[in-house]
Structures are given as C-alpha cells and as structure tokens.
Amino acid sequence: MGINSKHTESDAVLILSTSPSLALAKSIAEALVQESLAACVNLSAASLSIYSWEDKLHCDEEFSLTIKTSAGRQAQCIARIQELHSYDVPEIIVLPIIGGSADYLQWIARQTL
C-alpha cells in the first residue's frame, strides 16, 4: 500500500484516544477487539495531559489507546468509543496508515471484516 488519495474500506487506519483510567481503557480495548471493530489496541502507561476545558486548566493522568482498524470499520469504532467512554468529548483522532508490513496490514483487514 503506497501513498495515494484513493482509499478502500480495507485500508488500515489508526485511531488515537485517551482514558482517565486503565480499567476504562482496557474495557474499551476489549470491546473493540471482541466486536471485530479493531484488530489490536495498545494501551500506554499513564502520562500527564495538560489541557483547557471549560475555561479551566487541567493536568490529569491519562492512558493512551492506539487502535488499529480498517477504514471500513472506523465509523463504527468511533461510535463505540463514544458510547463506552466517560468523557463528554473523548479524544478520537483518525490517522491514515500509508505503509508498513503487507502481512500485518492484511491481518488488520481480516480481523475487522
């Protein structure tokens, strides 16, 4: 898969999100994989997020989720994250995968059929 402007439903994408707790991050990750909405979800160790919300500066520990899915499943994946998440406006950012191991990218496609 090379760089191009034409994407197919089987093209792999990354969805980035965060969670206020490891338990919630794990719950979201397990649901996405069990429901074939994601092939794999990596959870990070806690990190510090500094952001402004409702005109107030916040410094909170959060856990990052790196979600590997297909373009065809991204809308369902996003909807499920929003349904399971505790935040009013959870971080959900979709990034295209422009290359990588063909075998791995095909595995993502098969897992998210």
Side-chain angles (χ1 to χ4, degrees), residues 2-95:
I3 299 173
N4 62 49
S5 59
K6 188 173 182 178
H7 299 285
T8 67
E9 294 220 341
S10 64
D11 284 347
V13 297
L14 288 179
I15 298 178
L16 305 179
S17 190
T18 56
S19 168
S21 71
L22 182 57
L24 178 59
K26 187 176 176 191
S27 176
I28 291 170
E30 288 174 350
L32 295 177
V33 173
Q34 287 174 347
E35 296 169 21
S36 297
L37 298 176
C40 175
V41 180
N42 298 109
L43 306 179
S44 74
S47 63
L48 187 61
S49 290
I50 300 170
Y51 59 95
S52 179
W53 180 253
E54 297 177 343
D55 296 324
K56 183 177 175 189
L57 187 64
H58 294 261
C59 296
D60 297 316
E61 270 195 351
E62 291 186 303
F63 296 83
S64 294
L65 294 87
T66 303
I67 302 157
K68 278 83 88 177
T69 190
S70 60
R73 287 295 219 168
Q74 85 179 28
Q76 291 171 294
C77 193
I78 289 168
R80 191 69 169 121
I81 294 166
Q82 290 171 322
E83 180 182 311
L84 295 170
H85 213 289
S86 63
Y87 290 164
D88 292 337
V89 181
E91 173 187 344
I92 302 174
I93 298 171
V94 179
L95 302 172

